[in-house]
Amino acid sequence: MMLPLLDKTRPLARQIYTGIRERILSGSLPPGMRMTSTRDMARQWGVSRTIVINAFEQLSAEGFVEARRGSGSYVAAGASWGGAAQRSRKGRSDAVDLAPPPTPPRGCGAFRTDRVDFRSGLPDLTRFPVATWQKLSRQVWSVLTPMDLSYGQPEGNRELREQICRLVGTKRGVRCHPDQVLVTAGTTQAVGIVTRLLIAPDRSSCILEDPITNDIVRIVENAGGTIEPVPVDDQGIRTDALPRGARPAMIYITPSHQFPTGATLPIQRRVSILQYARSHATYVVEDDYDSEFRFDAPPISSLQGLEPSCVIYIGTFSKTLFPSLRIGFVILPPALVARGRELKWFSDLHNSSPDQLVLARFIADGHFARYVHLMGKVYARRRAALVGALDRAFGSGVRVLGSPAGIHLCARFAGVRFTRSVVEAIDRAGVVVYPAEAHAIRKGRFTDTLLFGYGMLDIPRIEEGIVLLGRAFARLNAR
Amino acid sequence: MMLPLLDKTRPLARQIYTGIRERILSGSLPPGMRMTSTRDMARQWGVSRTIVINAFEQLSAEGFVEARRGSGSYVAAGASWGGAAQRSRKGRSDAVDLAPPPTPPRGCGAFRTDRVDFRSGLPDLTRFPVATWQKLSRQVWSVLTPMDLSYGQPEGNRELREQICRLVGTKRGVRCHPDQVLVTAGTTQAVGIVTRLLIAPDRSSCILEDPITNDIVRIVENAGGTIEPVPVDDQGIRTDALPRGARPAMIYITPSHQFPTGATLPIQRRVSILQYARSHATYVVEDDYDSEFRFDAPPISSLQGLEPSCVIYIGTFSKTLFPSLRIGFVILPPALVARGRELKWFSDLHNSSPDQLVLARFIADGHFARYVHLMGKVYARRRAALVGALDRAFGSGVRVLGSPAGIHLCARFAGVRFTRSVVEAIDRAGVVVYPAEAHAIRKGRFTDTLLFGYGMLDIPRIEEGIVLLGRAFARLNAR
């Protein structure tokens, strides 16, 4: 038998195993052939017999060779590819020819620091109280029981659900019981579960605000939903434009702070939309992604609090704490709780238990409220600085949309079209800007609008960015 | 205007806001009505005027009242439910009438300590090196950058993917590049993603081993798959029973240690199944859930290593570390990587970044290999003790199935049928047992078989359990 060459730097038994295995699979050691004894092999290779025996034990355990009592080992039948099939066995594992990964929506990807990057959707990640989080994590791990390490419940940890329930009850006027809370891996998973709860083959139409975050559109389509866009104006979704005679599976809205326009839905439209939902026997999905930050008044009350039985409320800790924690939640009407838990179970069983316990303690000990309060003041000043800078640079040429809230704003620039080449010219001037038109389902209404995130930028950087933007505009106009 | 009663223990502004809001919504304060001035209200309620102004600011921000210059505030139009619709507004939020939660499969639910509970699927959670994990967590958090807190990549953290790739390459003979690794929230999410990758409306047939974990069946059905069960014998899936002339979307198998029977698929059947997959242009999904623990020989090589282009390999840290970490992974052939990442993105964007970083370090620093090595020895002794105890208690009346591996075994009891009443009688004797028949798709072949998990039981407890089981049998026979 020809011996494979041994490389002294790698485990010898593994090499002998692999060498013999390849020869059996390829058929060069044919079925029924008697193997050289382990003693002889060890001598031929110049290795200890134990090494050869280890290799043989593996070959035998996997069925490549059979020991016959008293007469040694034989190549087993059926352990080779047998002829032509071998060709395709090699190859694609080393040279990986990857298609480009899918375009990641909602604030993913690198935040550029070589530019003033007005990316939206990111809170200030430099201020997160890491030391506090670490301290709570230590506390949680020190009292963790073995059962906390075991499989948990799909709806999430009881302590966390109680904290969430209290939080949204106090701050958002949400009316719920902890058993209605489903802890999710962020808003994305919450939307995925809600779409699968509500969309049926014979009821797939989903009413969405237009413009809207791109990833919501993609998740809805991915779940088999058909998109029914309803335009947004300065007050949010235009309830007079809701489709009549339809049987929508759901109405997905961001009433506290419309994304991206920043509009707050007034009570009149809230009443309309709830009446619409009731008369069409459908659910309103309230995505309350950044409502914790409101600068001119207390946070707007939730839609859910007006009509808990037909509103599904979605919240997230991505904008208040940090996105890579991947914790959000959904408040389900009682009728949907059992199926919601089942869908969560099928998605990933449940969220990481230690993470949930640390978060529950972060809220219970008051750190969440303090941090949100602090960041609200920070974001209020940044927004004011951004509005002031826009005013100084563009005067009556700019109009800021929406309510003073959240971590982004939209602004219309009179007579400008933010085409790709304009955005690239602005990029070359040192500023990354984001056209709101990218979020429009029906194109054409927001070509003059930019979306500015200010969560990750301090005031000097915001002001620098707008000065650079002004210069880029001047240069574009001079052409 | 009738004033709501104030409760001094709750925020006063909120109570005034809520009281007025309810009256406007119900129509008892009609549209156009002039509101009492804030000064008068403050006097009537005996509270400071600031409190009333705060309540009014909220009512005004939400559109319930309108200020008219110089003449005070008025109830806004359109802010009431208007008649009949009000009835359904109340109610279901406080008294939550919940349907029972879905039956949680695969080792979820409470592990009973008042009985000897032979639940399978749980590793020994009392031995997890919590102090080491905490130390690494501290290290990770101390070097975390703000960008680690931001949105990450769907495929998972680069460091973790490299560690996983090295681990399965060395220990399991898996051939892959880190870009083929997709970090998932455990096996459950991996299976969910794989089913959505492979099942199409015109190609929905999924070949599953019978018996099999129940939750796999449910996840496949949930993804629109139709189940094509193929029976398992002492060597694993019967490749001679694979359906001819079919166009299966996938073949889902547990070749290292079949769940629940514990069989190891020999090389002859591995070759057959890969040839079948090739000739039917389909994929084999290799669920390698507990292959790290093998007691008689080195771990059986993966199927993936034989044919990387048509095998999807799924691994998990639930059996080696702990389930509530919720981290597993899937190794995808290059052609499926882009779509796999997209499906992960739509599921939950990505796994928690800090958790991934701690795990990557746990592997990189050698703790994973040491812990698995240690636990392999622990589980080997427990399995031997269980087999010995069964032999002492039942002699030739029991036959242990499968390979010496993993954290569970199956045993057939001659002439016994584990009906519900038998299982209940055994429970009363102090032992919780799990009939393998519960995992059978086509019923009838495993009515005499029990599934014993020994991951969470020490040797005295295992022996106690089998003695109690023997007594329960004696009592049942005496009846």
Side-chain angles (χ1 to χ4, degrees), chain A residues 22 25 42 47 60 110 123 129 142 158 237-238 278 365 371 380 398 427 430-431 433 442 450-451 478:
Chain A
E22 287 303 314
L25 281 168
V47 299
S60 169
S142 67
R158 176 93 201 167
I237 190 167
R238 275 183 48 205
R278 274 203 297 253
D365 290 2
Y371 182 55
V398 71
D427 186 285
V431 189
V433 293
R442 290 186 178 143
L450 289 181
L451 171 55

PDB file of all heavy atoms in Angstrom, chain A residues 22 25 42 47 60 110 123 129 142 158 237-238 278 365 371 380 398 427 430-431 433 442 450-451 478:
ATOM      1  N   GLU A  22      -9.166   8.731   2.140  1.00  0.00           N
ATOM      2  CA  GLU A  22      -9.229   9.212   0.749  1.00  0.00           C
ATOM      3  C   GLU A  22      -9.053   8.061  -0.237  1.00  0.00           C
ATOM      4  O   GLU A  22      -9.722   7.996  -1.259  1.00  0.00           O
ATOM      5  CB  GLU A  22      -8.157  10.287   0.510  1.00  0.00           C
ATOM      6  CG  GLU A  22      -8.446  11.636   1.156  1.00  0.00           C
ATOM      7  CD  GLU A  22      -9.784  12.224   0.708  1.00  0.00           C
ATOM      8  OE1 GLU A  22     -10.068  12.210  -0.505  1.00  0.00           O
ATOM      9  OE2 GLU A  22     -10.553  12.672   1.591  1.00  0.00           O
ATOM     10  N   LEU A  25     -12.262   5.946  -0.255  1.00  0.00           N
ATOM     11  CA  LEU A  25     -13.337   6.657  -0.958  1.00  0.00           C
ATOM     12  C   LEU A  25     -13.111   6.658  -2.464  1.00  0.00           C
ATOM     13  O   LEU A  25     -14.047   6.513  -3.241  1.00  0.00           O
ATOM     14  CB  LEU A  25     -13.440   8.106  -0.438  1.00  0.00           C
ATOM     15  CG  LEU A  25     -14.167   8.281   0.899  1.00  0.00           C
ATOM     16  CD1 LEU A  25     -13.938   9.685   1.446  1.00  0.00           C
ATOM     17  CD2 LEU A  25     -15.676   8.020   0.736  1.00  0.00           C
ATOM     18  N   ALA A  42       3.058   0.978  11.370  1.00  0.00           N
ATOM     19  CA  ALA A  42       3.806   1.840  12.285  1.00  0.00           C
ATOM     20  C   ALA A  42       5.289   1.804  11.920  1.00  0.00           C
ATOM     21  O   ALA A  42       5.964   2.842  11.887  1.00  0.00           O
ATOM     22  CB  ALA A  42       3.590   1.382  13.730  1.00  0.00           C
ATOM     23  N   VAL A  47       6.310   5.641  12.934  1.00  0.00           N
ATOM     24  CA  VAL A  47       5.565   6.293  14.026  1.00  0.00           C
ATOM     25  C   VAL A  47       5.228   5.212  15.053  1.00  0.00           C
ATOM     26  O   VAL A  47       5.369   4.018  14.779  1.00  0.00           O
ATOM     27  CB  VAL A  47       4.265   6.969  13.528  1.00  0.00           C
ATOM     28  CG1 VAL A  47       4.575   8.048  12.503  1.00  0.00           C
ATOM     29  CG2 VAL A  47       3.294   5.941  12.944  1.00  0.00           C
ATOM     30  N   SER A  60     -12.489   2.508  11.690  1.00  0.00           N
ATOM     31  CA  SER A  60     -13.390   1.416  12.024  1.00  0.00           C
ATOM     32  C   SER A  60     -14.719   1.954  12.562  1.00  0.00           C
ATOM     33  O   SER A  60     -15.791   1.507  12.157  1.00  0.00           O
ATOM     34  CB  SER A  60     -12.682   0.518  13.037  1.00  0.00           C
ATOM     35  OG  SER A  60     -13.580  -0.398  13.577  1.00  0.00           O
ATOM     36  N   ALA A 110     -20.929  50.615   8.005  1.00  0.00           N
ATOM     37  CA  ALA A 110     -19.961  51.429   8.734  1.00  0.00           C
ATOM     38  C   ALA A 110     -20.414  52.883   8.798  1.00  0.00           C
ATOM     39  O   ALA A 110     -20.885  53.445   7.817  1.00  0.00           O
ATOM     40  CB  ALA A 110     -18.609  51.321   8.063  1.00  0.00           C
ATOM     41  N   PRO A 123     -28.170  55.865  17.863  1.00  0.00           N
ATOM     42  CA  PRO A 123     -28.063  56.732  19.037  1.00  0.00           C
ATOM     43  C   PRO A 123     -26.584  57.022  19.308  1.00  0.00           C
ATOM     44  O   PRO A 123     -25.710  56.481  18.636  1.00  0.00           O
ATOM     45  CB  PRO A 123     -28.653  55.862  20.149  1.00  0.00           C
ATOM     46  CG  PRO A 123     -28.340  54.461  19.736  1.00  0.00           C
ATOM     47  CD  PRO A 123     -28.388  54.459  18.215  1.00  0.00           C
ATOM     48  N   PRO A 129     -23.527  53.914  29.251  1.00  0.00           N
ATOM     49  CA  PRO A 129     -22.825  53.678  30.525  1.00  0.00           C
ATOM     50  C   PRO A 129     -22.317  52.240  30.651  1.00  0.00           C
ATOM     51  O   PRO A 129     -22.906  51.416  31.351  1.00  0.00           O
ATOM     52  CB  PRO A 129     -23.886  54.001  31.579  1.00  0.00           C
ATOM     53  CG  PRO A 129     -25.194  53.800  30.893  1.00  0.00           C
ATOM     54  CD  PRO A 129     -24.973  54.092  29.438  1.00  0.00           C
ATOM     55  N   SER A 142     -23.598  36.598  39.045  1.00  0.00           N
ATOM     56  CA  SER A 142     -23.245  36.047  40.352  1.00  0.00           C
ATOM     57  C   SER A 142     -24.449  35.386  41.032  1.00  0.00           C
ATOM     58  O   SER A 142     -24.270  34.602  41.962  1.00  0.00           O
ATOM     59  CB  SER A 142     -22.624  37.115  41.240  1.00  0.00           C
ATOM     60  OG  SER A 142     -23.604  38.079  41.546  1.00  0.00           O
ATOM     61  N   ARG A 158     -39.600  36.751  32.798  1.00  0.00           N
ATOM     62  CA  ARG A 158     -40.681  37.411  33.544  1.00  0.00           C
ATOM     63  C   ARG A 158     -40.278  38.802  34.074  1.00  0.00           C
ATOM     64  O   ARG A 158     -41.009  39.769  33.910  1.00  0.00           O
ATOM     65  CB  ARG A 158     -41.092  36.494  34.712  1.00  0.00           C
ATOM     66  CG  ARG A 158     -42.126  37.048  35.645  1.00  0.00           C
ATOM     67  CD  ARG A 158     -43.533  36.634  35.241  1.00  0.00           C
ATOM     68  NE  ARG A 158     -44.506  37.549  35.816  1.00  0.00           N
ATOM     69  CZ  ARG A 158     -45.778  37.603  35.466  1.00  0.00           C
ATOM     70  NH1 ARG A 158     -46.245  36.823  34.529  1.00  0.00           N
ATOM     71  NH2 ARG A 158     -46.599  38.463  36.025  1.00  0.00           N
ATOM     72  N   ILE A 237     -49.636  59.947   8.515  1.00  0.00           N
ATOM     73  CA  ILE A 237     -50.391  59.211   7.490  1.00  0.00           C
ATOM     74  C   ILE A 237     -51.713  59.918   7.190  1.00  0.00           C
ATOM     75  O   ILE A 237     -52.409  60.371   8.099  1.00  0.00           O
ATOM     76  CB  ILE A 237     -50.616  57.732   7.909  1.00  0.00           C
ATOM     77  CG1 ILE A 237     -51.188  56.916   6.750  1.00  0.00           C
ATOM     78  CG2 ILE A 237     -51.479  57.630   9.153  1.00  0.00           C
ATOM     79  CD1 ILE A 237     -51.149  55.406   6.986  1.00  0.00           C
ATOM     80  N   ARG A 238     -52.020  60.049   5.902  1.00  0.00           N
ATOM     81  CA  ARG A 238     -53.247  60.743   5.484  1.00  0.00           C
ATOM     82  C   ARG A 238     -54.416  59.763   5.594  1.00  0.00           C
ATOM     83  O   ARG A 238     -54.672  58.982   4.690  1.00  0.00           O
ATOM     84  CB  ARG A 238     -53.102  61.272   4.066  1.00  0.00           C
ATOM     85  CG  ARG A 238     -52.417  62.647   4.023  1.00  0.00           C
ATOM     86  CD  ARG A 238     -52.358  63.172   2.613  1.00  0.00           C
ATOM     87  NE  ARG A 238     -53.655  63.048   1.963  1.00  0.00           N
ATOM     88  CZ  ARG A 238     -53.834  62.972   0.641  1.00  0.00           C
ATOM     89  NH1 ARG A 238     -52.791  63.030  -0.169  1.00  0.00           N
ATOM     90  NH2 ARG A 238     -55.050  62.862   0.133  1.00  0.00           N
ATOM     91  N   ARG A 278     -61.288  49.231  13.237  1.00  0.00           N
ATOM     92  CA  ARG A 278     -62.442  48.511  13.778  1.00  0.00           C
ATOM     93  C   ARG A 278     -63.414  48.113  12.683  1.00  0.00           C
ATOM     94  O   ARG A 278     -63.865  46.976  12.614  1.00  0.00           O
ATOM     95  CB  ARG A 278     -63.167  49.373  14.812  1.00  0.00           C
ATOM     96  CG  ARG A 278     -62.580  49.247  16.202  1.00  0.00           C
ATOM     97  CD  ARG A 278     -63.602  49.636  17.252  1.00  0.00           C
ATOM     98  NE  ARG A 278     -63.981  51.035  17.121  1.00  0.00           N
ATOM     99  CZ  ARG A 278     -63.597  51.992  17.962  1.00  0.00           C
ATOM    100  NH1 ARG A 278     -62.818  51.709  18.986  1.00  0.00           N
ATOM    101  NH2 ARG A 278     -63.987  53.222  17.781  1.00  0.00           N
ATOM    102  N   ASP A 365     -33.384  49.297  38.268  1.00  0.00           N
ATOM    103  CA  ASP A 365     -32.560  50.136  39.140  1.00  0.00           C
ATOM    104  C   ASP A 365     -32.577  51.610  38.747  1.00  0.00           C
ATOM    105  O   ASP A 365     -31.846  52.412  39.333  1.00  0.00           O
ATOM    106  CB  ASP A 365     -31.110  49.619  39.156  1.00  0.00           C
ATOM    107  CG  ASP A 365     -30.985  48.285  39.884  1.00  0.00           C
ATOM    108  OD1 ASP A 365     -32.016  47.766  40.330  1.00  0.00           O
ATOM    109  OD2 ASP A 365     -29.861  47.770  40.001  1.00  0.00           O
ATOM    110  N   TYR A 371     -30.692  57.481  32.010  1.00  0.00           N
ATOM    111  CA  TYR A 371     -29.926  57.582  30.775  1.00  0.00           C
ATOM    112  C   TYR A 371     -30.783  58.199  29.658  1.00  0.00           C
ATOM    113  O   TYR A 371     -30.312  59.065  28.910  1.00  0.00           O
ATOM    114  CB  TYR A 371     -29.421  56.191  30.378  1.00  0.00           C
ATOM    115  CG  TYR A 371     -28.575  56.171  29.126  1.00  0.00           C
ATOM    116  CD1 TYR A 371     -27.440  56.982  29.014  1.00  0.00           C
ATOM    117  CD2 TYR A 371     -28.895  55.349  28.054  1.00  0.00           C
ATOM    118  CE1 TYR A 371     -26.660  56.957  27.866  1.00  0.00           C
ATOM    119  CE2 TYR A 371     -28.118  55.312  26.903  1.00  0.00           C
ATOM    120  CZ  TYR A 371     -27.011  56.127  26.817  1.00  0.00           C
ATOM    121  OH  TYR A 371     -26.245  56.113  25.677  1.00  0.00           O
ATOM    122  N   ALA A 380     -31.801  67.015  22.284  1.00  0.00           N
ATOM    123  CA  ALA A 380     -32.535  68.275  22.105  1.00  0.00           C
ATOM    124  C   ALA A 380     -31.565  69.388  21.688  1.00  0.00           C
ATOM    125  O   ALA A 380     -31.836  70.156  20.762  1.00  0.00           O
ATOM    126  CB  ALA A 380     -33.264  68.649  23.392  1.00  0.00           C
ATOM    127  N   VAL A 398     -34.479  76.461   3.145  1.00  0.00           N
ATOM    128  CA  VAL A 398     -34.639  75.162   3.795  1.00  0.00           C
ATOM    129  C   VAL A 398     -35.878  75.173   4.678  1.00  0.00           C
ATOM    130  O   VAL A 398     -36.237  76.220   5.242  1.00  0.00           O
ATOM    131  CB  VAL A 398     -33.378  74.804   4.621  1.00  0.00           C
ATOM    132  CG1 VAL A 398     -33.254  75.675   5.859  1.00  0.00           C
ATOM    133  CG2 VAL A 398     -33.376  73.323   5.015  1.00  0.00           C
ATOM    134  N   ASP A 427     -20.626  64.403  -0.952  1.00  0.00           N
ATOM    135  CA  ASP A 427     -19.696  63.476  -0.298  1.00  0.00           C
ATOM    136  C   ASP A 427     -18.252  63.959  -0.479  1.00  0.00           C
ATOM    137  O   ASP A 427     -17.467  63.983   0.468  1.00  0.00           O
ATOM    138  CB  ASP A 427     -19.884  62.074  -0.878  1.00  0.00           C
ATOM    139  CG  ASP A 427     -19.061  61.033  -0.142  1.00  0.00           C
ATOM    140  OD1 ASP A 427     -17.831  60.989  -0.334  1.00  0.00           O
ATOM    141  OD2 ASP A 427     -19.651  60.275   0.648  1.00  0.00           O
ATOM    142  N   GLY A 430     -17.092  66.400   1.827  1.00  0.00           N
ATOM    143  CA  GLY A 430     -16.833  65.970   3.197  1.00  0.00           C
ATOM    144  C   GLY A 430     -18.070  65.647   4.026  1.00  0.00           C
ATOM    145  O   GLY A 430     -17.974  65.488   5.240  1.00  0.00           O
ATOM    146  N   VAL A 431     -19.225  65.541   3.386  1.00  0.00           N
ATOM    147  CA  VAL A 431     -20.449  65.279   4.139  1.00  0.00           C
ATOM    148  C   VAL A 431     -21.199  64.102   3.504  1.00  0.00           C
ATOM    149  O   VAL A 431     -21.375  64.067   2.284  1.00  0.00           O
ATOM    150  CB  VAL A 431     -21.387  66.515   4.127  1.00  0.00           C
ATOM    151  CG1 VAL A 431     -22.551  66.300   5.105  1.00  0.00           C
ATOM    152  CG2 VAL A 431     -20.628  67.766   4.476  1.00  0.00           C
ATOM    153  N   VAL A 433     -24.731  62.567   3.098  1.00  0.00           N
ATOM    154  CA  VAL A 433     -26.152  62.883   3.304  1.00  0.00           C
ATOM    155  C   VAL A 433     -27.023  61.766   2.743  1.00  0.00           C
ATOM    156  O   VAL A 433     -26.586  60.972   1.915  1.00  0.00           O
ATOM    157  CB  VAL A 433     -26.555  64.235   2.655  1.00  0.00           C
ATOM    158  CG1 VAL A 433     -25.871  65.387   3.353  1.00  0.00           C
ATOM    159  CG2 VAL A 433     -26.300  64.224   1.153  1.00  0.00           C
ATOM    160  N   ARG A 442     -43.798  55.286  -3.531  1.00  0.00           N
ATOM    161  CA  ARG A 442     -44.131  55.945  -4.801  1.00  0.00           C
ATOM    162  C   ARG A 442     -43.180  57.117  -4.939  1.00  0.00           C
ATOM    163  O   ARG A 442     -43.192  58.032  -4.116  1.00  0.00           O
ATOM    164  CB  ARG A 442     -45.581  56.413  -4.803  1.00  0.00           C
ATOM    165  CG  ARG A 442     -46.533  55.227  -4.871  1.00  0.00           C
ATOM    166  CD  ARG A 442     -47.976  55.637  -5.018  1.00  0.00           C
ATOM    167  NE  ARG A 442     -48.813  54.443  -5.135  1.00  0.00           N
ATOM    168  CZ  ARG A 442     -50.023  54.313  -4.601  1.00  0.00           C
ATOM    169  NH1 ARG A 442     -50.561  55.325  -3.924  1.00  0.00           N
ATOM    170  NH2 ARG A 442     -50.710  53.205  -4.746  1.00  0.00           N
ATOM    171  N   LEU A 450     -33.674  65.847   2.529  1.00  0.00           N
ATOM    172  CA  LEU A 450     -32.603  65.052   3.132  1.00  0.00           C
ATOM    173  C   LEU A 450     -33.014  64.626   4.537  1.00  0.00           C
ATOM    174  O   LEU A 450     -33.762  65.314   5.226  1.00  0.00           O
ATOM    175  CB  LEU A 450     -31.296  65.852   3.214  1.00  0.00           C
ATOM    176  CG  LEU A 450     -30.564  66.144   1.904  1.00  0.00           C
ATOM    177  CD1 LEU A 450     -29.279  66.926   2.209  1.00  0.00           C
ATOM    178  CD2 LEU A 450     -30.250  64.872   1.130  1.00  0.00           C
ATOM    179  N   LEU A 451     -32.465  63.501   4.930  1.00  0.00           N
ATOM    180  CA  LEU A 451     -32.706  62.908   6.241  1.00  0.00           C
ATOM    181  C   LEU A 451     -31.390  63.060   7.014  1.00  0.00           C
ATOM    182  O   LEU A 451     -30.347  62.595   6.576  1.00  0.00           O
ATOM    183  CB  LEU A 451     -33.042  61.439   5.985  1.00  0.00           C
ATOM    184  CG  LEU A 451     -33.170  60.440   7.092  1.00  0.00           C
ATOM    185  CD1 LEU A 451     -34.188  60.902   8.114  1.00  0.00           C
ATOM    186  CD2 LEU A 451     -33.632  59.107   6.489  1.00  0.00           C
ATOM    187  N   ALA A 478     -22.700  77.143  -8.682  1.00  0.00           N
ATOM    188  CA  ALA A 478     -21.782  77.913  -9.529  1.00  0.00           C
ATOM    189  C   ALA A 478     -21.525  77.219 -10.855  1.00  0.00           C
ATOM    190  O   ALA A 478     -21.074  77.850 -11.817  1.00  0.00           O
ATOM    191  CB  ALA A 478     -20.463  78.120  -8.778  1.00  0.00           C
TER     192      ALA A 478
END
